[in-house]
Amino acid sequence: MKNMDKRALHLTGAALKGEIDIPGDKSISHRAVMFGAVAEGKTTIKNFLPGADCLSTIACFSRLGVKIEQEGSNVMVHGKGFGGLKEPSELLDTGNSGTTTRLMLGILAGLPFHSVIAGDDSIAKRPMSRVVKPLAEMGADIDGRHQGEYTPLAVRGGKMEGIRYSLPVASAQVKSAILLAGLQAEGETMVLEPVKTRDHTENMIKQFGGTVEVDGNCVKLQGPQSLHAADIMVPGDISSAAFFLAAGAIAKNSSIILKNVGLNPTRTGIIEVLQQMGANIEIIPNQAESFEPAGDIIISSSNLKGIEIGGDLIPRLIDEIPIIALLATQAQGRTIIKDAAELKVKETNRINTVADELTKLGANIVPTDDGMIIEGRTGLHGAAVQSYGDHRIGMMLAVASLIADGEILLSNADAVEVSYPQFFDHLYSLAQA
Ligand code: S3P
C-alpha cells in the first residue's frame, strides 16, 4: 500500500438509509481457493471477495501451477490434488495478506520442493515463528530472517508427521496452517486452542470431502487425506459489515439493512457487543441451508452505553476492535477492551494506530498493554488522519466522518481495497439515499 491516496470526507450529520449487499467473507474466500487448489477436480466459488488479499492467494496458487479463472466474484479452480502443485520458479508474493502467508506455509510444508514466500512491508514485520515452529516439528525445513520469525521465508517441504500441538496464542491462522499440513502428514494431527477461534478451515475440510473431529477447543484429523472439488457459496463478511453496523448505530436518523452477512458463531462477537451496548439491531437468519450460516441485519440509530470487552469474546471480534473503539467514543460512560494484545501484530499495531488516529479526532482514549480504555461520549472533530496502509483503520476513520464536526482528510485511503473494494461506494450510497 505505497500509494498515498488522500480522500476528503465530509459526511457530518448524514442520515444513512437503504440497503447494501455485504461482499464475500475474506477468510472463507481465501480458504475456498486454497482448498480448491489442493482438491481434485473443478471447484466453483460464488460471491468470492475480489479484494487485494484474496487476489494475492489466487496469484500464489497460479505460480504453483494451478489454473484459476476469476471474473469478479465468480471463480473456478482447476485442482489437481496436493501432489499436482509444482515448484514455483518465482517468489510467492502474498502482498498484505497474513492469512495467505500463514496458511500457504501449511500447504508448502508438505510439498517436496523449494519455494520462497514474502509480502509487503507490513507482512515483513509480522511474526511467523508461531507457524514455522510447529511446521518444523512436523518435518518441514523453513528458514527466514531472525531464525524464521520474519519473511522472506524459504521452504523446503516434504515428508510430514502428525503432531499434537497446544497453541500458545489463540490464532485461526496458526490452527489452519497446522491442519493443512496435517492433511498431508502421516498419522494424527491434534490442535488444542486456548480459546476457540474461527472454524472456517474445519468447515472447509468437511465441504471438500475430508474428515475432521472437533471436540470443544480440540481439533483432530488423520492424515494423509485426499480432497475432492466442491461448489462454495461465500457468505458476506461480518468483519466488513461491522463498519456499517457501527455507522448505522452512530449516525443520526438512520436505519439500514445489511444483506447476506455471515453469522458463523465464531465471528459474531460484534453483534453481542452491539446488543450489550444497547444498539437497535435486528437479525433475520436466511432460511436457505448453507455450510456457513448467514442472514440480513437491520441496524438503526442508537443510544449506546460503554461496556467491558475481554476474555473468550476477543477472538470472536478481533478484527472489529478498531470500529468498536469508534463506537465506544459515542457511548455513554467507559469502555474497556482487554486481553487483546494480538492487536499489536495485525496489519499495523492496532492498539497504537487506533488510539493515535482517534485522539487526533478528539477522542478520549488511552492505549494499554492489551487493549484500550475509552471514555464517552465525546464530540469528534475533523482532522488529517491516516490508515497507515491498514484497511480496517482506514474504514473506521471514514465512518468517523459521519459524526465528526468538519472534514476528515484520510491519507492512504486506498488501503480499503484489501478487504472491501466497494467500501466508499457503499458509504456514499447509504449517505445519499
Ligand atoms: C484470520 C484469522 C485472524 C484474523 C485475520 C483472518 C483467518 O488472525 O485477525 O484477519 O482468516 O484465519 P489470527 O489467526 O492471527 O488471529
Side-chain angles (χ1 to χ4, degrees), residues 62-371:
S62 303
R63 289 200 166 172
L64 290 164
V66 183
K67 185 176 164 205
I68 304 175
E69 296 164 274
Q70 180 243 335
E71 230 182 276
S73 57
N74 290 318
V75 177
M76 187 175 302
V77 185
H78 300 258
K80 290 200 192 120
F82 280 106
L85 299 179
K86 301 258 176 330
E87 184 169 75
S89 55
E90 287 169 287
L91 178 87
L92 300 172
D93 182 357
T94 59
N96 189 241
S97 176
T99 307
T100 312
T101 311
R102 298 202 177 106
L103 270 61
M104 289 263 315
L105 284 168
I107 293 174
L108 296 169
L111 298 171
F113 54 66
H114 173 263
S115 52
V116 181
I117 190 164
D120 67 7
D121 297 351
S122 155
I123 284 293
K125 293 189 202 116
R126 298 184 66 183
M128 293 297 153
S129 59
R130 52 178 63 192
V131 198
V132 169
K133 186 173 170 281
L135 296 177
E137 275 181 40
M138 294 175 84
D141 191 355
I142 308 178
D143 203 3
R145 291 182 299 124
H146 291 251
Q147 283 79 47
E149 177 67 320
Y150 299 119
T151 57
L153 292 166
V155 185
R156 174 149 312 266
K159 215 170 146 21
M160 307 283 282
E161 299 276 341
I163 190 178
R164 285 179 161 231
Y165 199 74
S166 287
L167 296 184
V169 285
S171 164
Q173 292 177 355
V174 180
K175 169 177 66 175
S176 300
I178 299 171
L179 294 177
L180 284 160
L183 287 170
Q184 306 171 75
E186 287 297 329
E188 183 178 278
T189 289
M190 188 177 112
V191 184
L192 257 172
E193 306 191 83
V195 179
K196 194 164 174 61
T197 64
R198 64 190 68 191
D199 60 3
H200 306 303
T201 298
E202 295 89 311
N203 293 342
M204 254 331 143
I205 292 174
K206 292 181 197 150
Q207 207 61 21
F208 281 83
T211 315
V212 58
E213 261 176 70
V214 181
D215 184 5
N217 292 1
C218 173
V219 187
K220 229 180 348 190
L221 57 77
Q222 301 292 330
Q225 294 188 27
S226 46
L227 303 172
H228 307 288
D231 293 325
I232 301 292
M233 170 58 93
V234 181
D237 196 327
I238 191 166
S239 298
S240 297
F243 295 97
F244 290 105
L245 288 172
I250 62 179
K252 291 218 173 69
N253 306 316
S254 298
S255 185
I256 55 177
I257 305 176
L258 310 180
K259 308 277 288 179
N260 185 32
V261 182
L263 295 172
N264 178 318
T266 62
R267 299 282 301 280
T268 48
I270 178 68
I271 292 176
E272 281 155 48
V273 159
L274 280 161
Q275 285 166 336
Q276 282 176 39
M277 292 178 101
N280 295 315
I281 182 168
E282 192 188 334
I283 294 146
I284 306 154
N286 285 353
Q287 296 307 320
E289 279 289 309
S290 168
F291 82 113
E292 291 266 353
D296 298 342
I297 307 181
I298 306 175
I299 183 95
S300 315
S301 308
S302 306
N303 283 322
L304 302 173
K305 59 175 191 293
I307 60 167
E308 201 173 305
I309 303 167
D312 290 8
L313 190 54
I314 294 296
R316 297 177 55 228
L317 48 64
I318 187 73
D319 293 339
E320 286 65 79
I321 292 177
I323 193 67
I324 290 172
L326 176 66
L327 272 174
T329 67
Q330 302 310 298
Q332 208 59 52
R334 176 176 295 175
T335 292
I336 300 174
I337 300 172
K338 58 180 192 180
D339 305 320
E342 274 294 296
L343 289 174
K344 293 180 187 165
V345 291
K346 294 294 174 189
E347 285 82 332
T348 56
N349 175 334
R350 286 184 177 158
I351 294 182
N352 292 346
T353 48
V354 166
D356 289 351
E357 299 315 282
L358 281 177
T359 299
K360 289 179 191 165
L361 299 180
N364 183 345
I365 175 167
V366 179
T368 64
D369 218 35
D370 67 347

